[in-house]
Amino acid sequence: MFSANHACEAINSCRTYANVSEIRDGNVAVIALYAPDVSAKMLADYHENCPFVRLRPFTVDNYPAYFKDYRNYRFKFPTVVSVLPEFSTIMYIDASIRFQKQKSETLSDLFTSMETKFAPQGIRLLSSATHPNFPVVHPDMYEFFNVTEEQTKGSTQFQSGLYLLNNSPEGWNIVEKMVECAVEPKCMAPKGAKVQCQYKELKKNLKVICHRFDQSALNMRLIELYGTNETLYYQPSSIIKVVRMGKCKL
């Protein structure tokens, strides 16, 4: 999923999909959902670099007007929900994700894990943010999720730009509340929330420094459902790398 300001990053990401045999062979469908602000030239460049990816527009016209401000990230889970019914399992990735050449693990292995170890939860997170939840959760979020500060202080935050999700009762139990949170004005993007953080302050875990919007919401939902035992819903993978780019070049 990408908007105009992440189009270059999305192209650099999709170029790495060729490292995955299941994608090259057409055994795993890849859909790139693009925002209304993505230009025809951006789409042409994307298709030229990644012809095996299906391009599909997404819209939030059926949601409140504040969804059109992509900086609040409310659009993400409603868009995921629009695709989930088409597949038994989806893997959501944002434009920062790179696939590395497969060695000990394959993409098929990741999907198989959703039929076995992670089936009871319906989700598998794949990347750690390496800091606790507490300093990146706006206080208003506790009104929406049955989670305590003690739990957020004692748990690691995991990235929401990379996960596997089942089209199952367990998967829907997660995402339906995420959509409710996205619609609620005081949830996901509460008034006064800011994304900029001082990383060294995050590690101290003493006060709220910033807010991670959809990422903080997803972590709180999983704590609400499964507690702070992260092994129930998190396991990293060697075939995936997160690359945050400054000035992007093709």
Side-chain angles (χ1 to χ4, degrees):
M1 193 185 304
F2 66 95
S3 53
N5 63 325
H6 289 291
C8 175
E9 196 176 6
I11 292 172
N12 279 292
S13 174
C14 77
R15 284 172 169 172
T16 69
Y17 301 170
N19 290 326
V20 182
S21 60
E22 294 95 330
I23 294 176
R24 287 198 313 270
D25 298 340
N27 294 322
V28 173
V30 184
I31 302 170
L33 297 131
Y34 60 89
D37 63 349
V38 175
S39 68
K41 184 179 185 307
M42 291 174 184
L43 293 176
D45 289 343
Y46 191 103
H47 181 70
E48 181 181 353
N49 282 273
C50 308
F52 45 83
V53 177
R54 307 176 193 173
L55 283 161
R56 181 188 298 183
F58 76 79
T59 178
V60 290
D61 288 346
N62 294 328
Y63 291 90
Y66 48 77
F67 272 65
K68 294 183 179 179
D69 181 357
Y70 300 134
R71 294 171 299 178
N72 63 35
Y73 304 97
R74 295 181 188 272
F75 68 93
K76 283 190 175 183
F77 279 94
T79 306
V80 168
V81 164
S82 73
V83 176
L84 185 57
E86 300 176 39
F87 304 96
S88 57
T89 301
I90 63 171
M91 182 178 188
Y92 173 82
I93 61 175
D94 68 18
S96 67
I97 305 305
R98 306 288 185 270
F99 281 100
Q100 304 186 95
K101 290 186 178 179
Q102 302 173 55
K103 295 179 181 178
S104 59
E105 187 173 38
T106 68
L107 187 60
S108 295
D109 292 333
L110 298 186
F111 279 94
T112 298
S113 75
M114 297 303 295
E115 301 171 1
T116 53
K117 179 180 178 179
F118 296 97
Q121 293 73 248
I123 194 169
R124 174 181 172 181
L125 304 181
L126 293 151
S127 180
S128 173
T130 71
H131 58 71
N133 273 296
F134 174 72
V136 295
V137 172
H138 191 284
D140 286 355
M141 301 288 285
Y142 294 94
E143 297 180 20
F144 196 81
F145 296 100
N146 185 21
V147 174
T148 66
E149 288 189 0
E150 182 180 1
Q151 287 177 304
T152 58
K153 284 182 176 180
S155 58
T156 299
Q157 182 156 106
F158 300 104
Q159 297 193 41
S160 63
L162 175 63
Y163 57 85
L164 291 122
L165 179 71
N166 280 349
N167 179 5
S168 66
E170 295 79 11
W172 282 100
N173 192 32
I174 296 167
V175 296
E176 284 177 344
K177 186 156 185 179
M178 294 303 298
V179 173
E180 291 174 11
C181 175
V183 173
E184 167 57 47
K186 292 183 67 176
C187 191
M188 192 165 291
K191 185 177 181 180
K194 61 176 184 177
V195 72
Q196 293 83 11
C197 297
Q198 293 181 323
Y199 191 75
K200 64 179 181 179
E201 293 295 322
L202 297 184
K203 289 291 188 177
K204 294 179 182 179
N205 201 24
L206 296 175
K207 59 182 179 179
V208 177
I209 305 299
C210 56
H211 182 62
R212 292 301 193 202
F213 295 85
D214 63 300
Q215 183 163 289
S216 293
L218 178 59
N219 278 263
M220 292 191 81
R221 178 57 173 156
L222 294 179
I223 293 172
E224 182 177 51
L225 289 172
Y226 304 118
T228 57
N229 181 2
E230 64 189 45
T231 62
L232 293 175
Y233 47 82
Y234 167 70
Q235 184 177 320
S237 171
S238 62
I239 68 170
I240 295 161
K241 184 178 181 180
V242 180
V243 179
R244 303 292 181 188
M245 303 184 73
K247 188 174 182 180
C248 182
K249 293 183 179 180
L250 294 177

